[in-house]
Amino acid sequence: MEGYVDADWASDRNDQKYCTGFTMLFNTSPGSWVSRKQKTVATSATEAEYMALSDAVKQICCIKSLLEELSFDIPPVVLYEDNMGSIFLAQNPAQERQMKHINIHHHFIHECIQERKVIQL
């Protein structure tokens, strides 16, 4: 299983919210996908991408949990992200204090990476 995640650049001119998009592939076939407007306004592209990454990791955790309940052994999921700032935030939890304006629930990404549920590239 592998995933791809991205966010657009505040394309809605009325409320300036970003759109999140991600897809999860199972043996190269799409098994799960999402495209939706983010619930909050992001103040930067990095923040928007980080929130999209958070949504994708939540989806991965749900899918892995379901498959493990069905006795499938699922290795860590490779998740592709194109924003270097969000990749840095996800891989460096010490920077968390500098990003207090991002909701706390998005920081669970660190835990998923440490538990090797997700491998982020």
Side-chain angles (χ1 to χ4, degrees):
M1 190 164 91
E2 65 183 11
Y4 297 85
V5 61
D6 201 9
D8 77 340
W9 181 258
S11 61
D12 189 332
R13 293 179 188 221
N14 295 323
D15 62 10
Q16 297 299 302
K17 290 183 179 175
Y18 288 69
C19 286
T20 290
F22 60 83
T23 186
M24 302 303 153
L25 303 179
F26 302 93
N27 293 328
T28 69
S29 298
S32 175
W33 58 90
V34 168
S35 178
R36 67 172 169 251
K37 189 183 291 191
Q38 292 182 351
K39 295 175 184 171
T40 59
V41 176
T43 58
S44 68
T46 295
E47 184 178 344
E49 294 275 354
Y50 194 57
M51 289 190 284
L53 184 62
S54 172
D55 288 345
V57 171
K58 287 178 192 174
Q59 182 74 11
I60 288 169
C61 290
C62 288
I63 293 169
K64 281 183 64 100
S65 178
L66 173 66
L67 292 175
E68 287 168 355
E69 285 288 324
L70 297 172
S71 300
F72 287 97
D73 184 32
I74 307 298
V77 176
V78 177
L79 183 59
Y80 296 96
E81 164 63 63
D82 65 351
N83 183 280
M84 296 305 293
S86 65
I87 292 169
F88 180 80
L89 286 174
Q91 294 176 344
N92 297 286
Q95 299 301 314
E96 193 169 305
R97 290 183 190 92
Q98 297 174 5
M99 300 297 289
K100 284 185 180 178
H101 62 281
I102 298 176
N103 288 332
I104 297 299
H105 66 92
H106 294 291
H107 293 290
F108 86 97
I109 294 170
H110 304 305
E111 183 177 316
C112 291
I113 290 173
Q114 288 173 346
E115 291 177 0
R116 301 220 16 101
K117 292 179 181 177
V118 176
I119 297 173
Q120 184 191 22
L121 300 176

